[in-house]
Amino acid sequence: MKKLFALLLSLAMVFAMAACGDTASNNEGGGNSNAGNADTGGEEGGDTAGIAAGDLQIGLICIHDENSGYDLAHIDGLRAACSELGIDESQITMRINIPETEECYDAAIQLADAGCDIIFSDSYGHQSYMALAAQDYPEVTFVACTGDQAGVAGIPNLKNIFPYTYESRYVSGVVAGVKLKEMMDNGEVTDPHIGYVGAYPYAEVVCGYTAFLLGIQSQVPEAYMDVQYTNSWYDLTAEGEAANALMARGCVIIGQHADSTGAPSAVQAARDAGSNVYSVGYNIDMLSVAPEAALTSAQNNWSVLYKATLQHMLDGTEIPADYAVGHSEGAVMISELGESCAEGTQEAVDAAWAGIDDGSLKVFDTSKFTVDGAAVDSYTINTSIIDFTTGNTIYEGQEYEAIVDGAFQESVFRAAPYFDIRIDGITELNPS
């Protein structure tokens, strides 16, 4: 059965790739989210009649359940968006603990058969199965949160949404940087060594930890960072072990792009044992598990993206293939500052947010980093989708110059992150 499904999936992708060839060549904006508002992927047909709020049926596929901070953020975000739009919670059907396998396809078609008008999935690895379901159910809208295929797949009812996570990563790095500077000024630390627990060596993670370090370096320019991958989005034990390994190497602040409380809990345990270490979390406020260690967490307000997408359904207007927005729209934030934060942290945070919002602060300002000691003044990104297990191109995208006016243009040419530059000052301890 699995071999047959894999064959069908491969054939579907081949047909979709063939279909999208003309779409890409005839759509100058193909794959370009244009700050979250472009209409990409070659959609045809224009607006249609909307759906009344009381009639809209919504599906949500989650890779884990509410015990995962990442999935909880999606569940809470969808519920909040529905509440604001007058959609009753009973109109949401969820499928939880759905792995990135054909089980996602099964869940998607079950939701479609149950009458859902729009179906969201919350994990990157779900999207190939969402694409297959979208082709089988063209009257249903399928939205892959954190996906990157919709702008080039040529499937009109497949969409991607993603917040500007790099903005909150940067500002959480500012929080860590102010603390690190205080520790160095007080003589508590002489080596500005930072650690980061990452899930996978994907662009999404690379983009985030790079922004985190750049935020730290805005306060302590000599700071540097080690990254330990867990090769899992959610693994309490592995994330705790990774944090411990980083602290054993001398890292004094541990950031994370992983979905559990494992790393902050390990840092709190180390503090309880006498180590002078701190944590910056992700998704949820970590003060409940790390009351002295947690400085803040980078967070996404998914309700903003869900609400905007659902509003299109209610209005009968076209949903952009790629939709991405950031702090100025309320889509990203950081959690409450912990009691261990240094004096002046809030002022530094406020200044960073103001600069991001008015455009005077560019997170990936190329004057702020180097690669092999040299400045980066040009970088080509390709929005094609590659099967990294085989090296085969699944969907053919376009190439873009990513460095414009001295800054890397993240989440402009598609919603999902594509910043994958390995800058100086960051060491991946286990990149493969």
Side-chain angles (χ1 to χ4, degrees), residues 9 13 61 63 98-101 104-105 108 120-135 142-153 155 158-162 202 204 321-322 384-386 388 394-395 414-417:
L9 180 60
M13 286 182 168
I61 299 171
I63 190 170
I98 304 299
E100 296 169 317
T101 67
C104 177
Y105 173 79
F120 297 91
S121 67
D122 75 353
S123 194
Y124 180 83
H126 285 152
Q127 68 175 329
S128 294
Y129 305 100
M130 293 285 279
L132 187 59
Q135 293 172 90
F142 293 82
V143 182
C145 304
T146 82
D148 56 11
Q149 296 182 5
V152 292
I155 305 172
L158 179 67
K159 314 295 180 179
N160 292 149
I161 59 175
F162 206 107
Y202 297 165
E204 178 185 347
D322 277 294
S384 297
I385 306 300
I386 309 297
F388 290 104
I394 300 172
Y395 298 125
R414 74 174 184 223

Side-chain angles (χ1 to χ4, degrees), residues 3-310:
K3 290 182 179 178
L4 176 60
F5 183 88
L7 176 60
L8 291 173
L9 180 60
S10 298
L11 289 172
M13 286 182 168
V14 169
F15 291 141
M17 182 170 67
C20 80
D22 290 340
T23 298
S25 63
N26 292 318
N27 177 10
E28 287 187 340
N32 183 348
S33 72
N34 191 24
N37 295 307
D39 187 3
T40 68
E43 295 88 348
E44 301 288 346
D47 299 346
T48 59
I51 302 174
D55 295 332
L56 185 64
Q57 296 298 314
I58 303 163
L60 175 63
I61 299 171
C62 294
I63 190 170
H64 300 114
D65 55 27
E66 293 188 4
N67 291 312
S68 158
Y70 175 77
D71 294 272
L72 180 60
H74 277 274
I75 293 168
D76 286 347
L78 180 56
R79 286 171 173 163
C82 287
S83 177
E84 292 179 31
L85 293 171
I87 300 169
D88 193 82
E89 192 171 317
S90 65
Q91 295 167 237
I92 305 171
T93 304
M94 297 189 191
R95 295 288 185 267
I96 61 173
N97 294 314
I98 304 299
E100 296 169 317
T101 67
E102 63 266 29
E103 288 185 46
C104 177
Y105 173 79
D106 293 340
I109 62 172
Q110 287 166 9
L111 290 167
D113 285 338
C116 288
D117 302 292
I118 183 168
I119 300 167
F120 297 91
S121 67
D122 75 353
S123 194
Y124 180 83
H126 285 152
Q127 68 175 329
S128 294
Y129 305 100
M130 293 285 279
L132 187 59
Q135 293 172 90
D136 291 343
Y137 289 82
E139 74 283 0
V140 177
T141 299
F142 293 82
V143 182
C145 304
T146 82
D148 56 11
Q149 296 182 5
V152 292
I155 305 172
N157 57 322
L158 179 67
K159 314 295 180 179
N160 292 149
I161 59 175
F162 206 107
Y164 294 159
T165 54
Y166 63 94
E167 293 181 347
S168 55
R169 293 289 186 192
Y170 181 92
V171 176
S172 71
V174 170
V175 174
V178 175
K179 183 62 181 181
L180 180 61
K181 185 176 187 305
E182 178 190 69
M183 296 168 75
M184 296 183 72
D185 289 346
N186 291 342
E188 302 169 40
V189 169
T190 57
D191 183 14
H193 193 179
I194 305 301
Y196 199 93
V197 178
Y200 294 96
Y202 297 165
E204 178 185 347
V205 179
V206 175
C207 166
Y209 67 57
T210 304
F212 180 67
L213 180 63
L214 292 172
I216 294 172
Q217 290 179 335
S218 72
Q219 309 298 314
V220 182
E222 65 271 32
Y224 64 104
M225 186 168 72
D226 290 344
V227 177
Q228 181 79 32
Y229 294 109
T230 63
N231 295 308
S232 170
W233 292 116
Y234 182 87
D235 189 326
L236 271 165
T237 301
E239 291 164 35
E241 290 174 349
N244 285 328
L246 290 164
M247 289 186 287
R249 291 175 61 85
C251 299
V252 295
I253 297 177
I254 307 297
Q256 72 175 84
H257 187 150
D259 294 343
S260 86
T261 59
S265 296
V267 177
Q268 182 63 50
R271 276 199 64 79
D272 292 343
S275 296
N276 190 18
V277 289
Y278 296 94
S279 169
V280 173
Y282 182 42
N283 291 311
I284 60 173
D285 187 331
M286 297 293 183
L287 290 173
S288 62
V289 297
E292 289 86 35
L295 301 176
T296 191
S297 290
Q299 293 183 303
N300 302 314
N301 182 5
W302 282 99
S303 68
V304 171
L305 292 102
Y306 281 119
K307 181 180 179 181
T309 304
L310 293 174

